[in-house]
Amino acid sequence: MPVPPQILHRETVARTRLFRVEQLELRFANGHEATFERLSGSTDGAVIVAALDADDHVLLVREYAAGVERYEVGLPKGLIEPGESPEQAALRELREETGYGARRLQALWMLTLAPAYMQHGTRIVLAEGLYPAPLEGDEPEPPELVRWPLADLAGLAARDDVTEARTLAALYMIRERHQA
Amino acid sequence: MPVPPQILHRETVARTRLFRVEQLELRFANGHEATFERLSGSTDGAVIVAALDADDHVLLVREYAAGVERYEVGLPKGLIEPGESPEQAALRELREETGYGARRLQALWMLTLAPAYMQHGTRIVLAEGLYPAPLEGDEPEPPELVRWPLADLAGLAARDDVTEARTLAALYMIRERHQA
């Protein structure tokens, strides 16, 4: 394994309501020094929920995505609140965004978004045994539920409004696990 | 299709060497108003390169990831420079990070990281017909090449140092396309 660089200095260089940017000065094992910026955050701060119904359809939601200024269809997800386990956060987000609860919840792989410059981590939670259990969320407009067959991920990836890497990775990983 | 919200106001609230944070005030079709923050960036600013050799092994690189403060193994990737096509950027990044060129390059799907709060988009580029063609990059230490069989993505996803959603999504999508 490679020898990790030494962190010479770290400093917060910007902070907004949602983001904190940290600057790191690193010295690599070969003597090179370099300055990096990264978005700070909790490394296990979020969950993404793959909820499967009895017909092996997955529950997706269509929501306005301010980052790309259009509607995006993807898996329910959200931050883990203080004191919650990943499974508890997943159940809450699932109920808020889709109106369904789940009898079985299982935290699986950890995903990162851009490990070079984001600390953020997202845990994939598999949810099965669904039942109606709506919970009021804080969304500015109610997400629209979209059911999609897990068998047709190529068709899902071909949609212009399905682009989020976490949603696609999680669904392929879950499907392969199901087939194993 | 839902009616997208009206953008009432947009303003840059922070800017660092690498990041720009923009605040958007939105009015949704149902009258609700909400303020969002997002990371600004080019919507087709980056490429991620899935390079397959003649034995259907994919070329991965092990690099220090400052966001998570450890080494991560993933597909080569990088920003598209001004004047470059996605294929040209992919060829340059592939040569810099793996030492290989590719005779055939094909830009495929667009991935997003977190469309709710990041504008950033990454194009998946498939590279085939590999040949040795190293190019000096600007990495602080040379990336280490890791060849992995495309057939064993479950094994790849199970590794603690393979977490990036874009790498996993791109490889599953490429493999399914190959099998079709």
Side-chain angles (χ1 to χ4, degrees):
Chain A
M1 288 300 291
V3 177
Q6 188 186 350
I7 298 175
L8 304 176
H9 183 69
R10 61 171 81 220
E11 185 182 345
T12 296
V13 292
R15 190 192 293 268
T16 70
R17 219 173 46 155
L18 200 60
F19 301 106
R20 184 166 72 89
V21 180
E22 199 174 40
Q23 187 173 289
L24 300 181
E25 283 172 38
L26 303 180
R27 183 185 295 139
F28 286 83
N30 61 14
H32 282 179
E33 295 189 6
T35 302
F36 289 84
E37 283 188 2
R38 68 166 184 188
L39 285 179
S40 256
S42 169
T43 50
D44 55 352
V47 288
I48 188 163
V49 193
L52 290 179
D53 70 13
D55 298 324
D56 271 350
H57 280 59
V58 62
L59 303 192
L60 303 167
V61 288
R62 178 186 283 116
E63 283 184 296
Y64 186 73
V68 292
E69 294 181 35
R70 58 167 177 75
Y71 284 84
E72 169 86 5
V73 174
L75 290 175
K77 57 191 173 302
L79 292 178
I80 300 175
E81 292 182 355
E84 282 185 329
S85 68
E87 291 86 349
Q88 287 167 336
L91 180 60
R92 179 181 48 72
E93 291 289 346
L94 185 65
R95 293 180 60 197
E96 288 176 2
E97 297 195 24
T98 71
Y100 284 87
R103 290 190 185 82
R104 297 185 300 284
L105 292 145
Q106 193 175 358
L108 299 169
W109 310 268
M110 179 65 76
L111 293 176
T112 57
L113 293 177
Y117 61 86
M118 293 178 77
Q119 199 173 16
H120 190 76
T122 304
R123 177 73 65 177
I124 301 172
V125 179
L126 174 63
E128 293 171 298
L130 307 185
Y131 57 91
L135 190 65
E136 183 90 13
D138 58 357
E139 283 76 14
E141 57 185 10
E144 184 188 338
L145 187 60
V146 177
R147 287 174 197 267
W148 194 269
L150 191 61
D152 183 24
L153 296 185
L156 191 68
R159 287 176 62 134
D160 284 341
D161 59 355
V162 177
T163 63
E164 195 201 30
R166 284 178 295 182
T167 285
L168 290 162
L171 289 175
Y172 275 105
M173 289 157 79
I174 292 280
R175 187 172 75 178
E176 187 163 61
R177 185 175 183 274
H178 252 56
Q179 290 166 339
Chain B
M1 288 299 292
V3 177
Q6 188 186 350
I7 298 174
L8 303 176
H9 183 69
R10 64 171 79 219
E11 185 183 345
T12 296
V13 293
R15 189 192 291 270
T16 70
R17 218 173 47 154
L18 200 60
F19 300 106
R20 183 165 73 89
V21 180
E22 199 174 40
Q23 187 173 289
L24 300 181
E25 284 173 35
L26 303 181
R27 183 184 295 140
F28 286 84
N30 61 13
H32 283 179
E33 295 188 6
T35 302
F36 289 84
E37 283 187 2
R38 69 167 184 187
L39 285 179
S40 256
S42 169
T43 50
D44 55 352
V47 288
I48 188 164
V49 193
L52 291 179
D53 70 12
D55 297 324
D56 271 350
H57 280 59
V58 63
L59 303 192
L60 303 167
V61 288
R62 179 186 283 118
E63 284 185 295
Y64 185 73
V68 292
E69 294 182 33
R70 59 169 176 74
Y71 284 83
E72 169 86 6
V73 173
L75 291 175
K77 57 190 173 302
L79 293 178
I80 300 175
E81 292 182 355
E84 281 185 330
S85 68
E87 290 87 349
Q88 287 168 337
L91 180 59
R92 178 181 49 73
E93 291 290 346
L94 185 64
R95 293 179 59 196
E96 288 175 1
E97 297 195 24
T98 71
Y100 284 87
R103 290 189 185 83
R104 296 185 300 284
L105 292 146
Q106 193 174 359
L108 300 168
W109 310 268
M110 179 66 76
L111 293 176
T112 57
L113 293 177
Y117 62 86
M118 293 178 76
Q119 198 174 17
H120 191 77
T122 305
R123 177 73 67 178
I124 301 172
V125 179
L126 173 63
E128 294 170 298
L130 308 184
Y131 58 91
L135 188 66
E136 183 90 12
D138 58 356
E139 283 76 14
E141 56 186 9
E144 183 187 339
L145 187 60
V146 177
R147 288 174 197 268
W148 195 269
L150 191 60
D152 183 25
L153 296 185
L156 191 67
R159 288 176 62 133
D160 283 342
D161 59 355
V162 177
T163 63
E164 195 201 30
R166 285 179 295 182
T167 285
L168 290 163
L171 289 176
Y172 275 105
M173 290 157 78
I174 293 278
R175 187 172 76 178
E176 187 163 59
R177 185 175 183 274
H178 252 56
Q179 291 165 337

